């Protein structure tokens, strides 16, 4: 069942990402062409600031998820209801605070930002961009946590994907018609509300046993404040760059950053979709036995890390040819920059290659023990970025992020291995270094080849070809050097195929 749900999560998640990527590519370019780079930078800046309002929820969702793994594994509805009741009370407060925060931002932001766009338009854009999130947290938060704990992320993904398709199609049509940017953002708000209605209908039909009148188990999510520190640190870490660039540079520089970050955010989303599809299986396995869990964990780390490096290798090779095509005709600022892909790739490798170790800390519930380290990461990122941006501009914020990541990524790997797995952290660092060596070799070879890419078709074809070649290289090297992980993964795949065949035979006999 865990394997089946993981595959469903992965399948639905990747399908969602592909659809969202295809549709999402049109919107920034249409905004830049029709309204200018400043409008693109403005919307990106507002979205990033609104993302900080998730700090109001910080801690509750992650703590509830960690608390739910055990009762979900035991199918203990009473305990699940007690945890959800406690979670629900916090989410209701969150929705109210979120709403107030959006309104305050709509009033204050237009007064402090320098832009050629009129203040009333900025205010309306903020309200339509943020109010949907407030309603979302109030009604949907607790149910989303349960779906993830049960390994049913594919349900959320399906609903969100349909909403995203409708949202992107409507926005593209409006942008092509030259409609006011306020109406474009208003469509996002309307479809967010419809998404919440869909979740409500699904819950009524499939979770009739949910009872929020149970006595709330606040103790089960007692680590929420420690989790909150981690969540706040993560949000500051992830969203500081745009805010600092907005304050210390201008919205056109923000637009440059956003264009490159858009590509790498897609990578993040794909990686997190894959990670999220199996995280519930890892979480339940952790509570079922250490020996089996360690084997699963090692196999996952080897092949997940190889996947991350493979994806980022392809993106690094293709990003500048793609950016030349994507920003053609946008002449108010130069988007082509050799060093930005280098810095972004370093950041994403350091961020995503530590995912398996970070999963282990989260699953084990070691939030309080590691909260000071998380604070340090944010402090280094914020302080270094502010200092470096004054000297190096857009490069400075990326350098500040790298400085923080070097500290925290090493710390996470050391903690996960030494404290939780009780072994040398060299196991994971060796895997990092192996993949870095493969990355450097592939980039060196492709640089010598001098790829000529002059169309979107060329980007797609080369991306497909490179992916089909590069991913097997990483997996082959990983399998050769990590024999135990390979044998476990191979055995797991064989058992999964056998189950599928058995089910197929049963279905055929019944038919």
């Amino acid at each position: 069942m865990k394997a089946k749900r993981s595959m469903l999560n992965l399948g639905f998640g990747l399908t969602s990402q592909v659809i969202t990527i295809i549709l999402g590519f049109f919107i920034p370019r249409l905004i830049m062409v029709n309204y200018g780079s400043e409008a693109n930078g403005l919307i990106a800046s507002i979205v990033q600031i609104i993302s900080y309002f998730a700090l109001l929820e910080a801690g509750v969702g992650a703590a509830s998820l960690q608390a739910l793994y055990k009762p979900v594994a035991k199918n203990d509805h009473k305990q699940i209801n007690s945890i959800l009741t406690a979670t629900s009370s916090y989410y209701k407060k969150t929705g109210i605070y979120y709403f107030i925060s959006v309104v305050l931002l709509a009033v204050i932001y237009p007064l402090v930002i320098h832009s050629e766009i009129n203040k009333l338009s900025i205010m309306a854009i903020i309200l339509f961009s943020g109010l949907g999130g407030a309603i979302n947290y109030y009604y949907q938060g607790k149910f989303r946590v349960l779906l993830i704990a049960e390994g049913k992320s594919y349900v959320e993904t399906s609903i969100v994907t349909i909403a995203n398709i409708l949202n992107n199609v409507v926005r593209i049509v409006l942008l092509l018609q030259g409609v006011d940017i306020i109406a474009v953002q208003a469509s996002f708000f309307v479809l967010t509300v419809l998404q919440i209605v869909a979740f409500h209908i699904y819950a009524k039909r499939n979770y009739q046993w949910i009872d929020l009148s149970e006595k709330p188990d606040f103790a089960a999510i007692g680590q929420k404040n420690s989790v909150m520190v981690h969540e706040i640190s993560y949000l500051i870490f992830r969203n500081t760059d745009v805010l600092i660039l907005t304050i210390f540079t201008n919205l056109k520089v923000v637009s440059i950053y956003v264009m490159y970050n858009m590509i790498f955010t897609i990578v993040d989303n794909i990686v997190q979709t894959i990670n999220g599809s199996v995280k519930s299986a890892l979480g339940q396995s952790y509570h079922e036995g250490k020996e089996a869990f360690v084997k699963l964990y090692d196999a996952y780390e080897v092949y997940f890390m190889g996947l991350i490096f493979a994806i980022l290798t392809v993106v690094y090779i293709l990003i500048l040819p793609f950016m030349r095509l994507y920003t053609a005709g946008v002449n108010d600022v130069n988007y082509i920059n050799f060093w930005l892909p280098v810095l972004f790739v370093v950041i994403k490798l350091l961020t995503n290659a530590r995912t398996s170790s970070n999963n282990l800390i989260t699953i084990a519930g070691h939030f309080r023990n590691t909260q000071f380290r998380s604070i340090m990461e944010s402090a280094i990122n914020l302080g270094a970025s502010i200092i470096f941006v004054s000297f190096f501009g857009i490069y400075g914020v990326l350098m500040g992020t790298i400085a923080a990541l070097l500290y925290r990524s090493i710390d996470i790997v050391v903690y996960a291995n030494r404290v939780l797995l009780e072994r040398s952290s060299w196991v994971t660092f060796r895997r990092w270094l192996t993949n870095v060596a493969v990355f450097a070799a592939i980039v060196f070879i492709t640089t010598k080849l001098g790829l000529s890419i002059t169309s979107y078709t060329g980007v797609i074809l080369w991306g497909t070809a490179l992916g089909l070649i590069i991913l097997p290289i990483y997996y082959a090297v990983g399998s050769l050097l990590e024999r135990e992980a390979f044998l476990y993964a191979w055995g797991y795949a064989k058992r999964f195929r056998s189950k599928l065949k058995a089910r197929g035979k049963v279905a055929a006999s019944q038919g």
Side-chain angles (χ1 to χ4, degrees):
M1 180 62 75
K2 287 186 290 185
K4 180 181 178 181
R5 288 182 177 177
S6 293
M7 293 303 295
L8 284 171
N9 290 337
L10 181 59
F12 278 83
L14 290 179
T15 302
S16 169
Q17 289 301 323
V18 170
I19 294 170
T20 303
I21 288 167
I22 293 171
L23 293 173
F25 269 133
F26 291 98
I27 294 172
R29 176 168 172 79
L30 288 172
I31 292 174
M32 288 189 295
V33 171
N34 294 331
Y35 306 99
S37 293
E38 187 174 8
N40 187 48
L42 173 68
I43 292 173
S45 175
I46 290 170
V47 170
Q48 291 293 320
I49 293 171
I50 288 175
S51 68
Y52 277 101
F53 297 157
L55 296 176
L56 296 168
E57 182 266 352
V60 178
S64 298
L65 182 60
Q66 192 273 333
L68 281 168
Y69 280 135
K70 191 172 182 178
V72 164
K74 294 182 177 180
N75 200 31
D76 185 349
H77 286 182
K78 182 176 178 60
Q79 179 63 13
I80 291 172
N81 279 324
S82 295
I83 295 171
L84 288 180
T85 303
T87 303
S88 177
S89 68
Y90 284 110
Y91 271 113
K92 287 181 178 179
K93 294 177 184 177
T94 296
I96 295 170
Y97 296 150
Y98 201 130
F99 178 85
I100 295 170
S101 299
V102 171
V103 173
L104 288 175
L105 178 65
V107 174
I108 297 170
Y109 187 89
L111 301 177
V112 298
I113 196 71
H114 299 289
S115 174
E116 295 178 6
I117 302 171
N118 71 75
K119 291 178 171 31
L120 286 177
S121 294
I122 294 175
M123 184 180 295
I125 290 170
I126 292 172
L127 289 173
F128 284 127
S129 299
L131 289 180
I135 300 171
N136 192 1
Y137 273 99
Y138 190 93
Y139 289 105
Q140 181 184 321
K142 58 185 177 295
F143 183 57
R144 175 180 169 275
V145 171
L146 176 60
L147 287 175
I148 295 172
E150 287 193 332
K152 294 183 179 178
S153 297
Y154 59 88
V155 174
E156 181 195 19
T157 301
S158 301
I159 295 172
V160 172
T161 299
I162 294 170
N164 282 339
I165 292 172
L166 293 173
N167 180 36
N168 284 322
V169 169
V170 169
R171 293 175 76 187
I172 290 168
V173 170
L174 293 176
L175 287 167
L176 287 171
Q177 297 297 319
V179 174
D180 191 274
I181 194 69
I182 297 173
V184 176
Q185 291 304 106
S187 67
F188 170 78
F189 171 75
V190 172
L191 286 162
T192 300
V193 174
L194 292 177
Q195 176 182 311
I196 295 166
V197 173
F199 273 104
H200 179 75
I201 293 171
Y202 182 87
K204 284 292 184 182
R205 290 182 177 179
N206 297 278
Y207 286 87
Q208 296 178 354
W209 54 265
I210 291 180
D211 180 10
L212 298 182
S213 64
E214 285 279 355
K215 183 179 179 181
D217 187 357
F218 292 108
I221 55 175
Q223 287 204 75
K224 69 182 187 303
N225 292 332
S226 296
V227 180
M228 180 174 66
V229 173
H230 288 271
E231 296 290 314
I232 290 173
S233 297
Y234 175 74
L235 283 167
I236 291 174
F237 168 79
R238 184 163 181 171
N239 301 302
T240 295
D241 290 357
V242 168
L243 184 58
I244 291 175
L245 288 173
T246 301
I247 296 170
F248 289 93
T249 60
N250 57 67
L251 291 176
K252 290 183 179 179
V253 174
V254 172
S255 184
I256 296 172
Y257 177 94
V258 167
M259 284 298 95
Y260 283 90
N261 193 52
M262 174 186 72
I263 305 299
F264 288 99
T265 297
I266 290 169
V267 174
D268 278 344
N269 291 340
I270 292 172
V271 167
Q272 292 310 313
T273 296
I274 296 169
N275 179 55
S277 69
V278 298
K279 192 173 180 180
S280 62
L282 286 168
Q284 293 177 37
S285 176
Y286 181 82
H287 293 285
E288 292 172 355
K290 184 176 180 180
E291 184 178 349
F293 171 77
V294 172
K295 289 180 180 179
L296 173 62
Y297 174 85
D298 277 335
Y300 180 63
E301 182 171 77
V302 169
Y303 294 106
F304 183 71
M305 194 181 295
L307 177 66
I308 290 165
F309 272 84
I311 292 173
L312 286 170
T313 304
V314 175
V315 171
Y316 179 77
I317 294 168
L318 297 178
I319 189 167
L320 285 182
F322 170 80
M323 201 60 68
R324 289 189 183 95
L325 293 167
Y326 193 79
T327 60
V330 182
N331 302 315
D332 53 356
V333 66
N334 180 26
Y335 284 88
I336 308 305
N337 189 303
F338 169 79
W339 287 107
L340 289 179
V342 175
L343 295 172
F344 268 109
V345 163
V346 172
I347 287 171
K348 297 308 175 182
L349 287 176
L350 286 170
T351 302
N352 292 313
R354 73 185 190 183
T355 299
S356 53
S357 297
N358 199 47
N359 280 347
L360 180 55
I361 293 172
T362 301
I363 291 167
H366 280 227
F367 304 113
R368 187 172 292 113
N369 297 359
T370 56
Q371 63 183 10
F372 177 74
R373 295 169 164 88
S374 189
I375 294 171
M376 281 294 295
E377 180 182 30
S378 295
I380 294 170
N381 185 24
L382 190 60
S385 295
I386 291 173
I387 294 171
F388 292 157
V389 75
S390 302
F391 296 98
F392 306 108
I394 192 172
Y395 306 123
V397 294
L398 296 170
M399 291 164 62
T401 302
I402 290 171
L405 278 169
L406 284 171
Y407 156 73
R408 182 63 174 142
S409 295
I410 292 171
D411 177 72
I412 285 175
V413 171
V414 170
Y415 188 92
N417 281 278
R418 289 186 179 176
V419 177
L420 297 174
L421 296 179
E422 299 177 331
R423 69 184 187 185
S424 171
S425 53
W426 171 245
V427 174
T428 298
F429 286 131
R430 183 187 66 231
R431 293 165 183 164
W432 276 32
L433 293 173
T434 299
N435 286 303
V436 168
V438 176
F439 179 94
I442 293 173
V443 169
F444 176 78
I445 293 169
T446 53
T447 301
K448 294 298 181 183
L449 292 176
L451 305 181
S452 178
I453 302 172
T454 57
S455 67
Y456 288 117
T457 302
V459 172
I460 294 170
L461 291 176
W462 271 110
T464 303
L466 288 170
L468 291 173
I469 295 169
I470 291 172
L471 181 60
I473 291 174
Y474 278 103
Y475 276 7
V477 173
S479 298
L480 287 171
L481 297 179
E482 303 285 347
R483 182 173 174 78
E484 288 187 13
F486 167 72
L487 292 174
Y488 179 86
W490 182 254
Y492 192 89
K494 287 177 67 177
R495 289 193 299 273
F496 184 68
R497 283 198 301 269
S498 297
K499 288 179 181 178
L500 288 179
K501 288 181 180 178
R503 288 172 184 166
K505 290 179 180 178
V506 171
S509 64
Q510 289 177 347

